[in-house]
Amino acid sequence: MPAYQTVYGETKTVTFSDIITAYTRDPSCKAFVDFLADQAVGMGFYTTVNEEYEKADEAKQVVDDFNESVNLDSLLQIGAREIVASGNSFWLKTEPEHLQNLKVLPLTGFDNPKAVARNQYGEVTGYNYSYGDVKKNFSPEKIIHFKWNPVNFSAFGTGVLQVLLAELSVGGEKRMSFLEMKARIEKIMPEIFEKYAGPDELWVFAGASDKKLAEYQKLIKSKPKAGAKFVYNKAEADVKTVAVDPRARYEAYVDHILNQIYLGGQTPIPKLLTTPGFTEASANAAVEVAERHVMSLQRFIKRTVEKEIFTPLIRQAKLDPKKTDCRLNWGIPETPEIELEEVVRLAEISATSNVQYLSLIHI
């Protein structure tokens, strides 16, 4: 097909396989996902309960023991990356009625567009899973589906890499994805470097016969890359260097495509790390905008974990989830501040107690 021929047709659907490939092979895509996921869940978490509930300690122990047994922190690290990249993460419960264990299922096992079965009201009726030789139909109760940013009543969420991988059709004409544009630029860059790192040369031997030209051509082709000099006294030679026209500049076009990639990644950190000239003020402003995105992701994961994991755990322990009010909190627990006067008072109490104890011993 000629390069100038317009391509018409439907746009390609982005699959989970496409997303995994982009994440594992494109440095910028991996950076987008890792930066956002690390900002959201990298600091870890802790749980709190309503201290006024008479069984608060028991409820917290149930939740904390389960979190430790399934290594919830590690599951959240994996899930957050899948959610950022694709807008989805599928966790399997070993027992739908009695929560004992959790397992993150491969995203590519849900590449089928009908992997999530729903009725006419959008209620999920089942999950069709297929990974390698394993084909399973799961009931809705067995799957925790983290579905972030679903668009147009979709059964699936939307992550940051979909837009970068998606083609666009306008008026029947198809535009390739921005990630493909970037990949093509990166593919051709080494070829340009190899072609023009050393200038092309045109060797002219005035008056030389065809036979002599053939001998010269053979000798020139054998010239090592490091360079060599040839001296002839039977023919007049002229060497002309073929240079690249300096007016052929494409920086603006490349910058536009890269800027679209950075916008699609929804985090300014890769841009800040790779672009010189950013002031501290502009960097802080960019990071502040990204923090809103991270806070939204944190809130989504927090609510899903509380509803789909903590509440069933507390209920199966025969406790009241509403009174327990178990919450997931990001970061580490705040250490209460102790005033100096309180420290002195505790020391006085401790000293008084020790004196009384020693007096009892002597008696």
Side-chain angles (χ1 to χ4, degrees):
M1 184 194 313
Y4 57 83
Q5 182 174 335
T6 303
V7 178
Y8 294 94
E10 295 184 3
T11 56
K12 177 185 176 184
T13 302
V14 178
T15 66
F16 289 135
S17 296
D18 296 331
I19 293 171
I20 296 299
T21 299
Y23 173 77
T24 55
R25 299 185 185 182
D26 186 271
S28 59
C29 288
K30 189 175 187 302
F32 296 146
V33 173
D34 287 347
F35 282 141
L36 286 171
D38 287 340
Q39 284 180 283
V41 303
M43 74 292 291
F45 71 94
Y46 64 97
T47 61
T48 55
V49 295
N50 177 19
E51 296 295 340
E52 296 181 359
Y53 179 42
E54 62 272 15
K55 296 184 178 180
D57 292 341
E58 181 183 351
K60 190 174 190 311
Q61 192 65 46
V62 167
V63 173
D64 288 346
D65 287 347
F66 178 83
N67 293 345
E68 184 178 358
S69 67
V70 301
N71 195 359
L72 185 61
D73 183 71
S74 178
L75 296 178
L76 287 174
Q77 297 289 335
I78 298 171
R81 279 161 174 73
E82 294 184 344
I83 294 167
V84 172
S86 71
N88 299 270
S89 187
F90 300 88
W91 295 16
L92 175 66
K93 304 176 187 178
T94 54
E95 295 293 337
E97 301 300 330
H98 188 76
L99 193 56
Q100 293 178 323
N101 199 3
L102 292 173
K103 178 182 179 181
V104 180
L105 293 174
L107 278 175
T108 52
F110 298 89
D111 254 341
N112 180 359
K114 297 182 179 180
V116 181
R118 300 188 297 172
N119 61 22
Q120 59 182 332
Y121 304 107
E123 298 171 347
V124 177
T125 59
Y127 292 89
N128 302 312
Y129 174 77
S130 177
Y131 186 78
D133 296 332
V134 179
K135 298 183 186 299
K136 296 279 291 185
N137 294 321
F138 295 115
S139 63
E141 294 78 17
K142 292 208 68 173
I143 297 293
I144 300 176
H145 183 187
F146 291 81
K147 184 173 65 172
W148 188 39
N149 191 25
V151 178
N152 196 30
F153 201 59
S154 173
F156 299 94
T158 306
V160 300
L161 298 189
Q162 265 101 329
V163 173
L164 300 179
L165 286 163
E167 298 171 344
L168 178 65
S169 181
V170 180
E173 186 172 349
K174 186 172 66 176
R175 183 219 70 191
M176 71 180 69
S177 72
F178 278 103
L179 201 58
E180 184 176 352
M181 294 181 197
K182 175 175 170 290
R184 290 194 180 191
I185 292 173
E186 292 169 337
K187 176 182 178 297
I188 201 172
M189 285 173 66
E191 298 175 0
I192 294 175
F193 182 80
E194 290 176 358
K195 181 175 179 63
Y196 295 109
D200 288 344
E201 296 175 342
L202 175 64
W203 296 64
V204 180
F205 295 92
S209 65
D210 292 343
K211 183 178 179 180
K212 275 294 182 185
L213 282 176
E215 294 178 5
Y216 295 155
Q217 184 179 29
K218 182 178 178 181
L219 188 58
I220 292 169
K221 285 184 176 181
S222 68
K223 183 171 74 77
K225 291 183 178 180
K229 293 180 174 62
F230 302 98
V231 179
Y232 294 94
N233 60 4
K234 294 186 178 179
E236 185 178 338
D238 184 15
V239 181
K240 299 182 183 297
T241 300
V242 180
V244 181
D245 189 341
R247 294 173 297 179
R249 304 178 68 88
Y250 301 97
E251 289 92 338
Y253 303 101
V254 174
D255 287 344
H256 171 74
I257 293 172
L258 293 181
N259 286 335
Q260 296 301 308
I261 296 289
Y262 287 126
L263 286 173
Q266 298 187 29
T267 174
I269 296 179
K271 183 77 170 179
L272 297 178
L273 294 177
T274 58
T275 306
F278 265 93
T279 64
E280 183 178 356
S282 61
N284 290 336
V287 171
E288 185 177 346
V289 172
E291 285 179 352
R292 306 284 197 281
H293 192 59
V294 172
M295 291 171 62
S296 173
L297 175 61
Q298 287 179 324
R299 189 164 57 251
F300 166 75
I301 295 175
K302 165 186 169 68
R303 297 306 183 199
T304 304
V305 170
E306 292 171 350
K307 177 184 177 182
E308 300 290 344
I309 299 176
F310 292 173
T311 296
L313 278 173
I314 295 170
R315 185 177 290 118
Q316 74 187 29
K318 309 300 181 183
L319 301 174
D320 190 335
K322 188 173 182 180
K323 291 181 179 179
T324 302
D325 193 26
C326 185
R327 298 297 178 187
L328 181 147
N329 307 276
W330 300 110
I332 58 177
E334 294 184 2
T335 304
E337 295 183 1
I338 302 177
E339 299 293 337
L340 179 60
E341 292 80 2
E342 295 178 358
V343 175
V344 174
R345 178 60 181 159
L346 288 173
E348 291 175 349
I349 294 172
S350 177
T352 303
S353 299
N354 290 336
V355 170
Q356 294 174 347
Y357 176 71
L358 291 173
S359 298
L360 289 173
I361 292 177
H362 288 299
I363 292 172

